[in-house]
């Protein structure tokens, strides 16, 4: 049996036969770009209205096109639309259905545009919506963190460097560190959105068009700040997708770091935090287990998202101007990254909302590992006027003494301390407790509960 097909109804004028089955398989994007159906129809409706306003098509044709496109959209929304691989992509699937519905005027819709500016437009509209959704998702996560920070502003915990106990910090301060990170992600998304908000529609295939189109009209109808200024650039630019992916990668990196902390903190060895049953799973063989699977999967999602970024950077490198079919490979990367990021954000928001810091184990852990040694050295500087380097040395000797004796710094007697430095008085004990330590760190951006609450108030005001 011959598999010779008819040539493509939309562009097959010069073709004697249709594509090989393998050609169709590699060429068609409808399986994934149907996600841009709404954007495609929105763009076409704006284009049709402009064509009519400019006298390029009649008002009645524009009306038929605009109404017909709404019917197509309702069919797609209702799941009644039959997507065809032979029609390659969402653009031709929609237009072909429009022709079934309204007949001849459908053929006038594509006047003064090309699939090249059409796909750039649709994809931009899709990515722009995602950028807005990520901002909303980030704000929800920040709000959950702010609730944790406020409730735990004076809960002490160990602060680490090298994952070794360094100095006591507060739970609230630690939560607020992530608020800062996610706030930068939000601001990066917002910046990228401003930069990308130029309409490619009307760039046509690559050179613009001879029809008297009004690009300002379509740009403003579609919520863009202006039309893009160079038609070659407009159809070959995927910077907006790359910026979405790179910003998503950085955000996913933050999520991954936090997820890693939650995995460690929820272990029996740390017991810093209890994750809710809603965001944990059991083991099929070990009945006692409660695993932080959501955190682990969030930790891993960054791998997919970074993969998408590297894939698209690699697809775009070396492409000559203007459009090349390589660029069709942009969408799956962005769709997958967007889905992964949204899911990771939602899961993290749920986990943060539910989790409970274990104050007792946090406080015990905060006091171990000579975590107030810096407070002791600072006291020697402040009270005895010692140069910091000498104070560091004296404190080191006291830490060694405590370590040899198997005790913590506050457990050393005054006499023991004075054997290292005769001028030490019992005032020193006031700074050796973890609560005093954190309360003293009042420098701007420091861990003192007072400072943490100021930051909570600032961010509540910003995103409340
Ligand atoms: N499906 C194509 C894409 O996603 C649409 C643009 C096709 N343009 C072309 N000249 N073949 O990139």
């Amino acid at each position: 049996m011959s598999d010779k097909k008819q040539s493509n109804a939309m562009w097959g004028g010069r073709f004697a036969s249709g594509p090989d089955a393998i050609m169709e398989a590699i060429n068609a994007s409808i399986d994934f770009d149907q996600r841009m159906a709404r954007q495609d129809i929105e763009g076409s409706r704006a284009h049709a209205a402009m064509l009519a306003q400019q006298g390029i098509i009649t008002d009645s044709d524009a009306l038929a096109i605009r109404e017909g496109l709404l019917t197509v959209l309702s069919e797609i929304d209702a799941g009644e639309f039959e997507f065809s691989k032979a029609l390659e992509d969402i653009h031709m699937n929609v237009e072909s259905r429009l022709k079934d519905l309204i007949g001849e005027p459908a053929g006038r819709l594509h006047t003064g545009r090309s699939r090249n500016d059409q796909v750039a437009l649709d994809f931009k509209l899709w990515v722009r919506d995602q950028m807005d959704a990520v901002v909303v998702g980030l704000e929800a996560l920040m709000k959950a963190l702010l609730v944790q920070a406020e409730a735990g502003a004076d809960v002490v915990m160990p602060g680490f460097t090298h994952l070794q106990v360094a100095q006591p910090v507060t739970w609230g301060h630690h939560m607020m560190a992530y608020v800062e990170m996610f706030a930068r992600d939000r601001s990066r998304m917002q910046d990228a959105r401003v930069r990308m908000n130029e309409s490619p529609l009307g760039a046509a295939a690559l050179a613009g068009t001879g029809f008297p189109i009004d690009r300002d009209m379509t740009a403003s109808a579609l919520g863009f700040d202006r039309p893009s200024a160079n038609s070659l650039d407009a159809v070959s630019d995927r910077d907006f997708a790359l910026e979405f992916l790179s910003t998503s990668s950085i955000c996913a990196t933050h999520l991954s770091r936090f997820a890693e902390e939650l995995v460690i903190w929820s272990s029996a060895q740390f017991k810093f935090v209890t994750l809710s049953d809603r965001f944990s799973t059991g083991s099929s063989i070990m009945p006692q287990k409660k695993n932080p699977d959501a955190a682990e999967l969030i930790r891993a999602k960054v791998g997919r998202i970074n993969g998408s970024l590297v894939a698209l950077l690699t697809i775009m490198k070396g492409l000559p101007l203007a459009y090349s079919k390589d660029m069709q490979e942009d969408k799956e990367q962005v769709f997958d990254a967007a889905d992964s990021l949204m899911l990771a954000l939602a899961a993290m928001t749920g986990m943060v909302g539910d989790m409970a810091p274990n104050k007792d184990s946090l406080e015990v852990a905060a006091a171990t590992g000579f975590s107030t040694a810096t407070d002791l050295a600072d006291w020697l500087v402040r009270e005895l006027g010692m140069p910091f380097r000498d104070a560091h040395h004296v404190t080191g000797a006291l830490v060694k003494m405590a370590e040899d004796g198997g005790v913590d710094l506050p457990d050393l007697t005054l006499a023991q301390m004075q054997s290292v430095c005769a001028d030490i008085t019992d005032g020193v004990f006031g700074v050796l407790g973890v609560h005093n330590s954190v309360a003293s760190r009042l420098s701007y951006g420091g861990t003192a509960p007072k400072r943490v609450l100021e930051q909570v108030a600032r961010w509540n005001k910003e995103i409340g």
Side-chain angles (χ1 to χ4, degrees):
M1 202 180 84
S2 157
D3 66 351
K4 197 164 161 179
K5 292 200 195 165
Q6 284 200 323
S7 66
N8 188 296
M10 314 295 280
W11 49 248
R14 77 187 296 284
F15 286 75
S17 78
D20 189 273
I22 299 293
M23 179 58 201
E24 187 173 288
I26 195 172
N27 198 35
S29 53
I30 188 60
D31 286 348
F32 49 88
D33 68 15
Q34 55 182 265
R35 286 185 71 165
M36 305 191 307
R38 194 176 54 74
Q39 289 77 9
D40 191 70
I41 286 169
E42 203 187 327
S44 289
R45 293 187 80 238
H47 185 63
M50 180 278 292
L51 290 176
Q53 185 202 263
Q54 297 299 100
I56 301 168
I57 63 173
T58 63
D59 285 344
S60 67
D61 281 352
L63 188 66
I65 290 170
R66 284 169 55 80
E67 293 291 308
L69 285 169
L70 287 183
T71 308
V72 177
L73 183 59
S74 65
E75 289 176 358
I76 293 173
D77 284 346
E80 288 159 5
F81 192 96
E82 273 191 40
F83 292 104
S84 151
K85 263 213 162 87
L87 288 165
E88 289 183 27
D89 56 26
I90 186 62
H91 324 294
M92 295 201 292
N93 269 267
V94 168
E95 193 185 316
S96 166
R97 180 64 188 141
L98 183 67
K99 183 145 187 274
D100 297 343
L101 291 168
I102 68 166
E104 194 249 17
R108 300 183 189 281
L109 168 61
H110 213 50
T111 315
R113 85 173 175 185
S114 146
R115 266 193 298 159
N116 297 347
D117 57 340
Q118 190 178 357
V119 72
L121 170 69
D122 295 2
F123 197 33
K124 260 197 172 178
L125 290 172
W126 196 93
V127 170
R128 197 176 68 181
D129 284 350
Q130 276 306 303
M131 288 175 163
D132 292 342
V134 170
V135 167
V136 170
L138 280 166
E139 287 175 357
L141 175 53
M142 288 165 72
K143 281 180 193 161
L145 286 163
L146 286 167
V147 171
Q148 283 286 348
E150 185 160 18
D154 57 1
V155 171
V156 288
M157 66 178 283
F160 297 93
T161 60
H162 314 267
L163 200 57
Q164 310 284 325
V165 172
Q167 293 173 353
V169 296
T170 52
W171 174 262
H173 198 49
H174 203 113
M175 296 298 114
M176 292 306 289
Y178 284 101
V179 168
E180 294 292 329
M181 287 180 242
F182 294 124
R184 286 195 296 274
D185 295 332
R186 170 175 171 263
S187 133
R188 263 184 286 273
M189 267 308 166
Q190 290 166 333
D191 287 351
R193 191 196 194 284
V194 169
R195 207 164 14 257
M196 67 98 85
N197 206 26
E198 295 185 340
S199 171
L201 186 60
L206 75 165
T209 175
F211 291 101
I213 58 172
D214 182 347
R215 294 192 60 204
D216 288 304
M217 178 182 172
T218 45
S220 87
L222 294 165
F224 289 103
D225 295 328
R226 66 193 78 84
S228 52
N230 183 297
S231 60
L232 286 168
D233 176 48
V235 293
S236 45
D237 164 38
R238 293 296 180 270
D239 291 3
F240 59 96
L242 290 170
E243 282 200 66
F244 174 75
L245 289 174
S246 51
T247 298
S248 297
S249 283
I250 297 173
C251 177
T253 300
H254 296 151
L255 287 167
S256 185
R257 293 181 73 174
F258 192 22
E260 164 71 355
E261 297 204 306
L262 294 179
V263 170
I264 296 176
W265 291 355
S266 62
S267 69
Q269 288 68 30
F270 272 75
K271 289 201 192 71
F272 282 7
V273 71
T274 305
L275 301 177
S276 75
D277 289 356
R278 299 199 313 147
F279 289 95
S280 309
T281 60
S283 154
S284 54
I285 179 168
M286 296 167 282
Q288 85 285 8
K289 292 274 278 180
K290 183 170 151 188
N291 296 325
D293 291 39
E296 293 165 79
L297 288 161
I298 293 168
R299 187 172 58 184
K301 289 289 182 204
V302 67
R304 299 171 69 126
I305 297 172
N306 288 355
S308 297
L309 171 62
V310 173
L312 188 56
L313 284 168
T314 312
I315 289 162
M316 295 306 295
K317 81 170 276 296
L319 281 190
L321 301 186
Y323 177 85
S324 295
K325 197 60 173 266
D326 310 48
M327 290 162 71
Q328 178 168 285
E329 293 284 319
D330 55 4
K331 286 164 217 67
E332 284 166 292
Q333 304 303 334
V334 170
F335 292 160
D336 188 72
D339 292 344
S340 301
L341 185 64
M342 290 307 290
L343 192 54
L345 281 170
M348 186 60 98
T349 304
M351 264 197 312
V352 170
D354 281 10
M355 72 186 182
N358 300 331
K359 293 186 191 182
D360 296 341
S361 18
L362 285 166
E363 185 160 339
V364 169
T368 56
F370 312 108
S371 66
T372 53
T374 317
D375 299 88
L376 173 51
D378 287 349
W379 184 89
L380 296 171
V381 170
R382 218 171 35 242
E383 300 299 323
L384 305 184
M386 216 180 257
F388 182 77
R389 283 291 155 219
D390 296 347
H392 189 285
H393 198 76
V394 168
T395 306
L398 290 169
V399 165
K400 175 89 172 59
M401 180 183 279
E403 191 172 41
D404 291 346
V407 297
D408 265 322
L409 277 176
D411 305 324
L412 292 175
T413 63
L414 183 59
Q416 281 175 307
M417 296 211 191
Q418 287 173 339
S419 73
V420 175
C421 170
D423 294 340
I424 294 180
T425 67
D426 63 1
V428 75
F429 291 101
V431 301
L432 295 182
V434 288
H435 284 282
N436 288 336
S437 168
V438 295
S440 74
R441 305 239 184 268
L442 281 162
S443 54
Y444 179 75
T447 199
K450 189 165 178 259
R451 291 284 170 264
V452 170
L453 289 172
E454 284 166 6
Q455 291 300 323
V456 171
R458 177 170 77 90
W459 279 112
N460 269 328
K461 217 165 126 196
E462 159 96 17
I463 61 166

